[in-house]
């Protein structure tokens, strides 16, 4: 049977045409790359009785992941009493995951998610601990403590500040009316007309809270608490650090920073796998 297939016409496509007379060539935008992915890492250790505290702790962390996913609150695990070899084994096993946080205060607390989603490393002066949960408690409870108080509608403005004041009124209204567990209220600045002066004015009007979050995956997401309760600035950047989405969210904690129950269950299973591989 003869089909209707035809060869494409000659003289089309990349490289088929002579270069322009000025010698310039078409330049293509660099494509995103280097997405972070999880790979299992098994610590190389020689088993001995001295490492029993670290191995017991890994078993407890595995159980805690499942308990938290089922709605049970689990107290943080204190690492300060581990000796150097046991602490080193925990550090090597935990690694560094996608989400990092800084909670300002006295003392400031550095938070780093491990490679096991929902398992968080907390460090500060007098603090060395692991917490299991969707997000560390301190990141929630201290989020809106003002590090820089917001000036509200009294923030000084110039004629270039046009659309920001109505946005502030909306954010203040949603902040006062927020009920724990309610759906997030999102204002997408990317889709709204605004000037640079509008954004600067909103920053002064809202102030700055205590919690800063960076989530690294396919690009970065930067989350900053304002000094207005339940109001967060959430900015998404692509892998070339270009801002692609700029929003305010009125919520207890933006979803991008949370470990889901499914993540916690998966972390519990992977911790068991690592523990079995070590033993």
């Amino acid at each position: 049977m003869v089909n209707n297939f035809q060869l494409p016409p000659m003289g089309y496509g990349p490289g088929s045409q002579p270069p322009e007379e000025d010698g310039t060539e078409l330049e293509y935008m660099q494509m995103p790359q280097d997405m972070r992915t999880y790979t299992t890492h098994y610590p190389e250790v020689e088993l001995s009785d001295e490492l029993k505290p670290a191995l017991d702790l890994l078993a407890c962390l595995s159980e805690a992941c499942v308990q938290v996913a089922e709605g049970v609150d689990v107290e943080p695990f204190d690492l300060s009493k581990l000796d150097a070899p046991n602490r080193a084994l925990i550090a090597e096993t935990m690694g560094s995951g996608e989400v990092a946080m800084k909670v300002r205060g006295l003392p400031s607390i550095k938070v780093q998610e491990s490679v096991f989603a929902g398992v968080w490393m907390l460090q500060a002066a007098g603090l060395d601990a692991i917490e299991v949960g969707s997000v560390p408690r301190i990141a929630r409870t201290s989020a809106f403590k003002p590090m820089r108080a917001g000036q509200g509608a009294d923030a000084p403005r110039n004629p270039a500040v046009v659309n920001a004041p109505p946005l502030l009124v909306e954010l203040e209204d949603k902040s006062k009316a927020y009920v724990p567990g309610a759906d997030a209220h999102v204002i997408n600045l990317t889709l709204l007309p605004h000037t640079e002066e509008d954004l600067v004015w909103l920053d002064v009007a809202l102030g700055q809270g205590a919690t800063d979050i960076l989530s690294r995956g396919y690009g970065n997401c930067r989350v900053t608490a304002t000094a207005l309760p339940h109001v967060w600035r959430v900015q998404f950047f692509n892998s070339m650090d270009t801002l692609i989405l700029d929003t305010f969210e009125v919520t207890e904690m933006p979803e991008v920073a949370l470990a889901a129950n499914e993540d916690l269950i998966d972390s519990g299973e992977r911790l068991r796998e690592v523990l079995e591989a070590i033993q």
Side-chain angles (χ1 to χ4, degrees):
M1 177 181 290
V2 179
N3 58 36
N4 293 325
F5 176 77
Q6 295 180 349
L7 291 173
M10 302 297 292
Y12 290 88
S16 62
Q17 304 298 315
E20 298 290 338
E21 294 182 358
D22 60 3
T24 60
E25 296 183 2
L26 181 63
E27 296 183 359
Y28 295 93
M29 183 175 67
Q30 182 180 356
M31 297 300 292
Q33 54 188 341
D34 298 333
M35 181 177 179
R36 294 169 61 94
T37 58
Y38 170 78
T39 55
T40 304
H41 171 68
Y42 300 114
E44 296 182 3
V45 295
E46 293 184 7
L47 284 182
S48 65
D49 292 340
E50 286 111 13
L51 294 178
K52 188 175 185 303
L55 299 179
D56 290 344
L57 177 57
L58 292 176
C60 290
L61 289 172
S62 177
E63 295 175 3
C65 288
V66 178
Q67 291 174 336
V68 172
E70 294 174 347
V72 178
D73 287 334
V74 176
E75 290 300 315
F77 297 86
D78 185 10
L79 303 180
S80 62
K81 297 177 182 175
L82 295 177
D83 60 21
N86 281 278
R87 185 62 182 85
L89 175 56
I90 293 297
E92 184 180 359
T93 304
M94 292 296 102
S96 295
E98 291 186 352
V99 182
M101 303 182 184
K102 182 177 182 180
V103 183
R104 294 182 174 86
L106 293 174
S108 291
I109 299 175
K110 175 185 176 182
V111 180
Q112 175 63 59
E113 188 179 33
S114 71
V115 294
F116 306 97
V119 180
W120 309 87
M121 309 288 292
L122 281 67
Q123 291 185 318
L127 175 66
D128 186 13
I130 292 180
E131 185 172 335
V132 178
S134 59
V135 72
R137 297 185 189 109
I138 190 67
R140 294 180 188 266
T141 58
S142 297
F144 308 105
K145 291 181 179 179
M147 298 294 105
R148 174 169 51 82
Q151 300 182 28
D154 295 329
R157 52 175 142 162
N158 59 44
V161 177
V162 180
N163 294 317
L167 294 179
L168 176 64
V169 172
E170 181 178 351
L171 289 170
E172 290 177 331
D173 178 66
K174 295 298 181 180
S175 172
K176 292 177 182 178
Y178 179 77
V179 177
D183 292 337
H185 178 77
V186 180
I187 295 178
N188 189 341
L189 297 173
T190 309
L191 300 179
L192 294 176
H194 61 268
T195 63
E196 287 298 323
E197 288 79 4
D198 280 325
L199 299 181
V200 172
W201 187 84
L202 280 172
D203 181 65
V204 175
L206 294 170
Q208 184 178 17
T211 298
D212 290 341
I213 304 170
L214 175 63
S215 178
R216 298 165 302 222
Y218 199 58
N220 292 329
C221 177
R222 299 170 191 171
V223 180
T224 306
T226 71
L228 183 63
H230 312 299
V231 178
W232 301 81
R233 181 81 175 272
V234 182
Q235 297 173 298
F236 291 87
F237 299 79
N238 64 17
S239 60
M240 292 173 284
D241 209 33
T242 300
L243 181 63
I244 57 176
L245 182 62
D246 193 2
T247 67
F248 282 108
E249 290 191 20
V250 183
T251 184
E252 185 177 6
M253 176 66 66
E255 187 174 355
V256 69
L258 297 174
N261 287 341
E262 294 81 0
D263 296 328
L264 284 161
I265 292 173
D266 181 64
S267 292
E269 294 174 351
R270 290 195 283 112
L271 275 165
R272 283 195 297 274
E273 292 174 1
V274 171
L275 190 57
E276 291 172 358
I278 294 176
Q279 295 176 331

